[in-house]
Amino acid sequence: MIDRSVGDFFYGLRKDGLTPLVKGVSELGSTTGFVGVLLITLVWTLLYLRNVRYAVWLTVSLAGGWLLNKALKALYSRERPDLWDHLVVPDGYSFPSGNAMISAAFFGLIALLLLRSGKAGNRIWAAVVLLIILLIGVSRLYLGVHYASDIVGGFLAGAVVAVLCSWGALRRNNR
């Protein structure tokens, strides 16, 4: 019932001028978006911060989020919603949302590492990254390819991956 109500709400927001923007936000949570951001963060982490451990854990968060998502999709095998027109062609099962889950795992780790730095400016960047995660999840509802519970489940599972990776990155840094 909540899935239907939330989906109907986002279906009602659809506008021709807004759809290309939402599709662009959704692309940040695609393989191309993740790999692009990973490459940028690896260059930054290795060349500017000179922190190999963070680079490794960023890669682990992305790969771990992807692998866990594949396993959960196979376990639950939930079909995509057919209540609304799909504005993009979905791939695979619906639960959990891969875009939401992997975003929460990968971008979530970026946000946690930014917050850990203690720099005031990085808190603002962390908030921006968290907003991006939220917008990626919302974009999947707008595009009609997920139920709200797919997004929430993806966010929760991805957050677990991000927290575990941050513990690993920070614990190894403190040795």
Side-chain angles (χ1 to χ4, degrees):
M1 179 131 160
I2 291 174
D3 277 335
R4 176 70 186 250
S5 298
V6 171
D8 287 345
F9 172 78
F10 283 101
Y11 184 81
L13 295 178
R14 290 181 175 181
K15 304 277 187 265
D16 289 339
L18 182 59
T19 298
L21 176 65
V22 174
K23 285 181 178 180
V25 169
S26 181
E27 278 300 308
L28 286 173
S30 72
T31 301
T32 303
F34 291 132
V35 169
V37 174
L38 177 64
L39 291 175
I40 291 167
T41 57
L42 289 178
V43 167
W44 178 263
T45 304
L46 293 170
L47 297 181
Y48 180 75
L49 298 177
R50 299 189 189 285
N51 192 323
V52 174
R53 288 183 194 113
Y54 281 8
V56 168
W57 282 103
L58 286 165
T59 305
V60 167
S61 73
L62 183 58
W66 182 81
L67 288 170
L68 181 59
N69 184 261
K70 290 293 184 191
L72 291 174
K73 281 184 181 288
L75 178 67
Y76 289 100
S77 301
R78 183 181 195 185
E79 294 299 324
R80 297 279 177 166
D82 60 0
L83 303 171
W84 314 281
D85 297 332
H86 297 175
L87 297 180
V88 294
V89 178
D91 180 31
Y93 291 115
S94 187
F95 184 86
S97 165
N99 292 58
M101 182 176 166
I102 301 167
S103 295
F106 177 60
F107 293 132
L109 178 59
I110 293 171
L112 289 169
L113 294 176
L114 286 167
L115 289 171
R116 175 68 165 97
S117 76
K119 297 178 183 174
N122 283 351
R123 282 188 228 124
I124 293 168
W125 283 111
V128 168
V129 171
L130 292 172
L131 179 61
I132 290 169
I133 296 168
L134 178 64
L135 291 174
I136 288 170
V138 166
S139 75
R140 305 304 285 169
L141 295 169
Y142 178 96
L143 296 171
V145 295
H146 281 290
Y147 296 105
S149 55
D150 299 337
I151 305 301
V152 172
F155 282 162
L156 292 173
V160 169
V161 172
V163 167
L164 291 173
C165 288
S166 73
W167 285 344
L170 297 172
R171 184 180 57 213
R172 295 199 72 199
N173 251 1
N174 291 333
R175 284 186 183 173

